[in-house]
Amino acid sequence: MLIETKKLTKTFGGLVAVNEVDFTIEKGKINAIIGPNGAGKSTFFNLLSGSYSPTSGRIFYKGKDITKLPPNKIARLGVARTFQTTNLFEQSTVLDNVIVGHRLRTESNLLDAVLRTKRFKREEEKCRDKAMEVLDFVGLTHVRDQLAVSITQEEKKRVAFALALATDPEIVFLDEPTAGINPGETEGLADLMEKMVEQQITVCLIEHKMKMIMALADKIMVLNYGEKIAEGTAEEIMNNQAVIEAYLGGDASA
Amino acid sequence: MGSLLKKRGWIIGFILAAILFPFVSQNEYFLHILTLAFIWMIAVYGLNLLAGYTGYLSLAHAGFFAIGAYTLGLLTVKAGLNYWIALVLACFLTSAIGAVVGLVALRTREHFFAIYTLCVGYIIYLVIDKWDSLTGGVRGLIGIPAPTSVGPISFQTPLSQYYLILFFLLFTVLVMYRIIHSLTGRTFIAIRNSEDLAQTIGISTMKNKLLVFVISTFFAGLAGALYASFIRFIGPDIGYITIIFDLLTYLLVGGIGTLAGPIVGTFLIVTVSQSLQFLQDYRMLIFGPLLTLLIIFYPRGIVGAYHDWRMKSLAKKKQQLNRKQTYVHTQSTETEKKIKEG
């Protein structure tokens, strides 16, 4: 068990966005969180990555309590995430955008930069190599030297993956990784997620595309109005009465 | 590689022009104006690292400029300290005050940060203006000594001061170049792009923002201290709000978030406003609309516009090259076909 939440709750004023959710993420699998719009999926993600602090409940990473840690410290432990929209620096190249991703594994500081020390040179090299490696992994070597402004939407998604992977994560949270791209490209990204799992990187994603999730995910959790209504394999979820009601409304047999 | 060589050419050209200028023109007035411009450039570089590369627009920097100037002035005039020790202390005191202000100011973002720092800048001005017993109030501080000699080199003449300040400017540019072209610089740029994203890739945003703020105030302090020993008289108006807006105009015209921007912008505006002196205050009638147009059409200033133009023309060339290649390619396959068919 890589990540475990216990009675995780987040309220915004009177609104309960996430309500006492118990969830576990297993190592080396593709985990998915699904649910209708406004079900609290993104809030749940923000809690796990430390962007929000929970109102109550606890989060454990490899048995360690990370509930109160800020996002940058959680990232150091090996938890990476992507956003629905990635803000790339458009005037610089794809490679330059990804290099900073490995910054958290380096030590060189301002003095190293100004004096151009050995450590500085070694770590610049290390970050550049890492960026090349992850760009190769996500299949973007050919656009490496292009400006970020000129690449396609799907390529931007891949850059976001690369940036997350450059942090040397054990688990990657992907917030709607295939939103806004066409079915053919969606398949390509699904393959990439499977490739990540092969590399022992656990994946957890939020998605709307049901067909893709059912084929891809090893384990699915369904949220509705901030509450967990089901958890299990794709088959279990598809036959779950509560899930069918949440999605279709009313009785399934009707 | 070609662009790197070209960049090096620009830098060497600039240094040579700056070194040779006094030999070409014997006019002391021009020398004075140019030396002053160099001082402003140092301050604008400090502002650029914070506002341009990290995305935090500080309007307190005229205040920090004044703190640097007054620290040097007071330490040399009232405490009788050696000039160079006073210069170092001025820079460090300014950064120390910068660190304290930054700790509070950096908890705000965007407009709120700008408004907060504007207030801080004004408070610094008021303190200098009203603390009569220490700063001399509106009467200012007179008789600040020129830099004392280092070995055989003395800094009593305008020419020697010109070279001294040019040296500090080049030092500033070198430091900025190295910061920006490093992992540390990339960290700052990541914060500017998106603080949320920066945090999730493991960057401690508060620590880095504070670091930038301190570096930035260091250079404001350095510029202020150099100003004090160059003009040799300072009044509270050097910390006034108009100064920060001058600095900001230089930065915006030259190009915010570009390495050459501060030099280009400051040089251009200082020289142009000198030659438009006959218009007196009506100068602003020309500058105002021009600045507005520039910001609308070229938000990254003259240098940014030049970069974009070069990138576009490079991309076009590449495209043409590609088209030619595919054309040649299809032709060769066609001939191959013909041969086979033949």
Side-chain angles (χ1 to χ4, degrees):
Chain A
M1 213 161 333
L2 202 56
I3 285 190
E4 188 178 4
T5 69
K6 282 191 177 150
K7 293 205 181 297
L8 201 61
T9 303
K10 177 74 185 175
T11 58
F12 296 104
L15 179 83
V16 186
V18 172
N19 194 2
E20 300 200 337
V21 174
D22 294 312
F23 183 51
T24 56
I25 294 175
E26 283 162 45
K27 200 173 158 60
K29 286 193 175 164
I30 297 183
N31 302 266
I33 300 170
I34 61 172
N37 284 329
K41 305 183 294 289
S42 285
T43 309
F44 189 69
F45 249 41
N46 285 333
L47 289 171
L48 289 178
S49 64
S51 302
Y52 291 164
S53 57
T55 313
S56 64
R58 306 222 148 276
I59 307 165
F60 297 91
Y61 174 69
K62 291 186 186 168
K64 188 184 173 227
D65 189 342
I66 59 162
T67 317
K68 294 259 183 294
L69 285 186
N72 57 309
K73 294 226 168 102
I74 293 179
R76 262 166 218 259
L77 293 174
V79 181
R81 74 165 288 183
T82 66
F83 290 85
Q84 280 180 31
T85 49
T86 309
N87 292 303
L88 298 175
F89 180 39
E90 309 220 309
Q91 263 78 35
S92 88
T93 64
V94 171
L95 180 66
D96 274 332
N97 267 293
V98 178
I99 287 176
V100 74
H102 203 55
R103 173 71 175 137
L104 77 170
R105 306 289 174 213
T106 62
E107 301 281 311
S108 68
N109 52 30
L110 183 74
L111 225 57
D112 290 299
V114 174
L115 302 175
R116 291 288 193 252
T117 59
K118 267 195 187 136
R119 178 164 76 175
F120 166 84
K121 280 177 191 143
R122 193 179 59 234
E123 292 190 344
E124 288 281 320
E125 194 96 334
K126 186 177 145 198
C127 287
R128 184 166 290 268
D129 289 347
K130 186 76 198 178
M132 304 263 222
E133 182 196 321
V134 294
L135 281 174
D136 183 51
F137 184 84
V138 301
L140 284 183
T141 305
H142 62 289
V143 294
R144 201 170 68 193
D145 298 319
Q146 278 183 31
L147 292 187
V149 68
S150 68
I151 61 175
T152 66
Q153 193 63 31
E154 187 245 359
E155 283 164 345
K156 277 184 187 159
K157 297 270 182 196
R158 284 178 187 262
V159 176
F161 278 44
L163 197 54
L165 290 172
T167 64
D168 273 344
E170 285 189 45
I171 177 162
V172 180
F173 288 98
L174 305 166
D175 194 349
E176 292 198 35
T178 69
I181 61 171
N182 70 38
E185 292 169 340
T186 304
E187 243 167 71
L189 286 183
D191 290 344
L192 184 57
M193 285 176 228
E194 277 173 342
K195 196 170 150 194
M196 278 156 68
V197 172
E198 277 167 31
Q199 297 289 318
Q200 304 300 316
I201 299 165
T202 309
V203 172
C204 180
L205 74 158
I206 291 178
E207 231 348 308
H208 272 306
K209 294 178 179 165
M210 279 308 147
K211 226 169 113 186
M212 172 193 158
I213 282 299
M214 293 304 168
L216 191 68
D218 301 304
K219 187 185 169 194
I220 300 171
M221 172 172 81
V222 188
L223 286 179
N224 195 22
Y225 296 111
E227 283 180 39
K228 180 172 89 178
I229 57 172
E231 188 176 1
T233 62
E235 208 170 320
E236 286 164 9
I237 295 297
M238 269 190 280
N239 298 321
N240 186 302
Q241 200 60 35
V243 175
I244 295 167
E245 269 174 37
Y247 269 90
L248 299 177
D251 213 329
S253 58
Chain B
M1 215 51 209
S3 71
L4 200 71
L5 282 177
K6 210 162 180 185
K7 208 186 250 173
R8 196 153 284 174
W10 277 104
I11 294 169
I12 291 169
F14 163 73
I15 295 174
L16 277 180
I19 289 175
L20 291 178
F21 175 78
F23 295 102
V24 180
S25 159
Q26 304 292 334
N27 189 327
E28 276 207 7
Y29 177 67
F30 285 162
L31 204 64
H32 180 89
I33 295 297
L34 215 54
T35 312
L36 255 183
F38 289 169
I39 292 173
W40 294 129
M41 284 174 197
I42 294 173
V44 176
Y45 268 109
L47 191 62
N48 190 25
L49 190 69
L50 182 63
Y53 286 97
T54 320
Y56 277 78
L57 178 62
S58 163
L59 297 178
H61 270 53
F64 291 114
F65 182 86
I67 290 176
Y70 267 91
T71 310
L72 182 105
L74 290 172
L75 285 178
T76 50
V77 174
K78 291 205 171 168
L81 221 60
N82 174 283
Y83 173 82
W84 298 104
I85 298 174
L87 181 69
V88 172
L89 285 178
C91 294
F92 281 106
L93 183 74
T94 315
S95 337
I97 296 174
V100 176
V101 170
L103 266 178
V104 183
L106 290 165
R107 293 184 186 278
T108 61
R109 281 191 194 188
E110 294 166 10
H111 321 330
F112 303 101
F113 181 80
I115 294 165
Y116 182 84
T117 49
L118 183 69
C119 296
V120 170
Y122 195 69
I123 290 169
I124 294 173
Y125 162 76
L126 281 180
V127 167
I128 291 171
D129 192 53
K130 303 296 174 205
W131 196 347
D132 221 69
S133 58
L134 182 72
T135 63
V138 281
R139 281 169 285 119
L141 212 58
I142 311 169
I144 299 162
T148 47
S149 329
V150 179
I153 315 162
S154 99
F155 298 104
Q156 295 299 324
T157 62
L159 187 66
S160 55
Q161 287 227 354
Y162 171 87
Y163 283 120
L164 176 72
I165 288 166
L166 177 63
F167 166 79
F168 277 112
L169 173 64
L170 292 178
F171 164 76
T172 308
V173 177
L174 179 75
V175 169
M176 288 297 161
Y177 179 88
R178 290 194 159 177
I179 290 176
I180 289 156
H181 294 92
S182 76
L183 283 173
T184 311
R186 286 177 198 281
T187 314
F188 300 159
I189 294 173
I191 292 174
R192 177 189 66 188
N193 283 344
S194 163
E195 276 197 66
D196 293 333
L197 184 62
Q199 276 207 318
T200 57
I201 56 171
I203 292 167
S204 167
T205 48
M206 190 60 194
K207 211 170 88 187
N208 279 288
K209 287 188 303 192
L210 193 62
L211 180 66
V212 180
F213 200 85
V214 170
I215 300 169
S216 168
T217 50
F218 178 91
F219 283 104
L222 174 66
L226 290 173
Y227 178 90
S229 63
F230 177 62
I231 302 291
R232 308 181 70 171
F233 159 80
I234 45 175
D237 52 328
I238 58 164
Y240 196 60
I241 306 294
T242 47
I243 300 288
I244 182 63
F245 286 110
D246 279 346
L247 295 180
L248 203 57
T249 312
Y250 301 158
L251 182 57
L252 286 172
V253 169
I256 191 164
T258 62
L259 201 55
I263 290 181
V264 174
T266 312
F267 180 76
L268 204 71
I269 296 202
V270 168
T271 49
V272 169
S273 64
Q274 281 304 318
S275 52
L276 290 181
Q277 204 110 66
F278 67 93
L279 290 171
Q280 293 167 351
D281 278 348
Y282 295 108
R283 274 179 302 174
M284 292 306 149
L285 279 179
I286 298 174
F287 274 136
L290 271 180
L291 191 65
T292 315
L293 287 175
L294 190 85
I295 288 170
I296 292 172
F297 293 106
Y298 300 106
R300 286 172 69 236
I302 294 169
V303 177
Y306 173 74
H307 273 300
D308 289 349
W309 172 77
R310 258 183 57 92
M311 284 294 181
K312 256 183 209 160
S313 65
L314 270 178
K316 216 179 243 175
K317 255 185 213 162
K318 220 175 178 179
Q319 222 171 26
Q320 273 169 353
L321 208 71
N322 278 345
R323 211 175 288 157
K324 251 183 212 162
Q325 270 172 351
T326 45
Y327 179 66
V328 171
H329 187 71
T330 45
Q331 256 192 342
S332 62
T333 46
E334 264 171 30
T335 44
E336 265 171 41
K337 257 186 205 165
K338 271 178 196 162
I339 291 166
K340 274 180 194 164
E341 281 164 6

